[in-house]
Amino acid sequence: QKEVEQNSGPLSVPEGAIASLNCTYSDRGSQSFFWYRQYSGKSPELIMFIYSNGDKEDGRFTAQLNKASQYVSLLIRDSQPSDSATYLCAVNRAGNTPLVFGKGTRLSVIA
Amino acid sequence: NAGVTQTPKFQVLKTGQSMTLQCAQDMNHNSMYWYRQDPGMGLRLIYYSASEGTTDKGEVPNGYNVSRLNKREFSLRLESAAPSQTSVYFCASSESPGGSWNYGYTFGSGTRLTVV
């Protein structure tokens, strides 16, 4: 099992819909979870972080964490064409070691 | 407010040539990283420096060397470039390797390297 797994997509959603991006991880000692957005040809930029079970909302974005199921997700409400990008999930493992990144899910929001 | 600065932005090398990618951060971060990103492979860690004076191998270190010149600067050297090293290279920095609990990593704009 890979350390951090994401469906590569593409995930296509119509404008205005909710986009749901999922990520699973293998290290039960992981404590912090990050979502990055990467536009084509650009560098990753941090959009959300979460470290407690439950939901965390920031504008149109909601991160959800379930440590028992080793699952973290990102919901994008009222999706816009400008949300079309690759979304990377990153997880820190137990101990002070580098973040592990998933391969990313490509999201396409259709106008 | 530069964040993480990488140079050069683009580079074409011939097989066997050497070059150094430069990275500097102005956020007083302790840790710095070099990643490569290839289609379908995601971000793969080449080397990292948890703090000034230390460096460690990541997932794909072969063919690369690094130098943590000081707290601000972390360079990546290709001694003898190979076509398999054609990739986009990203430098990143953070307060600590695990990312501070709320800031994760800050990435530079990347270097597109082609080895012919």
Side-chain angles (χ1 to χ4, degrees):
Chain A
Q1 181 186 5
K2 296 189 186 302
E3 291 195 68
V4 179
E5 293 202 61
Q6 296 181 254
N7 188 321
S8 62
L11 172 66
S12 294
V13 300
E15 184 175 359
I18 296 175
S20 178
L21 304 162
N22 304 316
C23 172
T24 58
Y25 60 95
S26 60
D27 186 345
R28 286 195 169 274
S30 296
Q31 299 179 350
S32 301
F33 307 86
F34 304 86
W35 283 100
Y36 286 82
R37 177 177 62 201
Q38 186 176 24
Y39 292 115
S40 181
K42 301 295 184 181
S43 59
E45 57 177 331
L46 181 67
I47 55 172
M48 288 286 289
F49 66 91
I50 187 168
Y51 55 91
S52 297
N53 275 327
D55 294 359
K56 179 183 178 183
E57 188 174 316
D58 183 1
R60 295 187 296 113
F61 298 98
T62 299
Q64 300 176 316
L65 176 61
N66 183 326
K67 289 186 178 180
S69 300
Q70 295 174 244
Y71 177 94
V72 58
S73 63
L74 179 70
L75 301 179
I76 306 174
R77 292 183 299 282
D78 188 24
S79 295
Q80 301 297 309
S82 58
D83 295 324
S84 297
T86 296
Y87 290 80
L88 303 171
C89 172
V91 176
N92 84 331
R93 295 168 291 182
N96 199 22
T97 55
L99 297 182
V100 180
F101 285 83
K103 292 184 178 181
T105 298
R106 187 156 59 92
L107 172 66
S108 179
V109 180
I110 310 300
Chain B
N1 196 23
V4 179
T5 302
Q6 288 183 236
T7 56
K9 294 189 183 303
F10 302 92
Q11 185 71 48
V12 179
L13 288 179
K14 294 182 178 179
T15 297
Q17 286 186 318
S18 62
M19 78 162 295
T20 299
L21 281 64
Q22 306 286 355
C23 176
Q25 53 93 5
D26 62 2
M27 295 173 289
N28 201 34
H29 282 165
N30 294 309
S31 304
M32 299 184 72
Y33 317 84
W34 277 105
Y35 287 90
R36 60 177 290 173
Q37 188 173 40
D38 304 289
M41 300 298 292
L43 285 166
R44 292 186 292 171
L45 183 63
I46 304 171
Y47 272 94
Y48 71 101
S49 171
S51 60
E52 186 178 357
T54 70
T55 60
D56 284 286
K57 295 179 180 179
E59 181 184 357
V60 289
N62 291 344
Y64 305 95
N65 286 300
V66 291
S67 295
R68 183 75 183 264
L69 304 171
N70 48 55
K71 190 173 185 178
R72 291 186 62 248
E73 298 173 289
F74 189 40
S75 63
L76 177 72
R77 182 161 179 84
L78 286 70
E79 291 290 353
S80 179
S84 61
Q85 294 178 306
T86 293
S87 187
V88 179
Y89 291 85
F90 289 104
C91 178
S93 70
S94 70
E95 293 184 5
S96 65
S100 64
W101 64 275
N102 61 346
Y103 288 116
Y105 292 1
T106 301
F107 286 84
S109 59
T111 296
R112 291 186 176 275
L113 175 67
T114 302
V115 183
V116 298

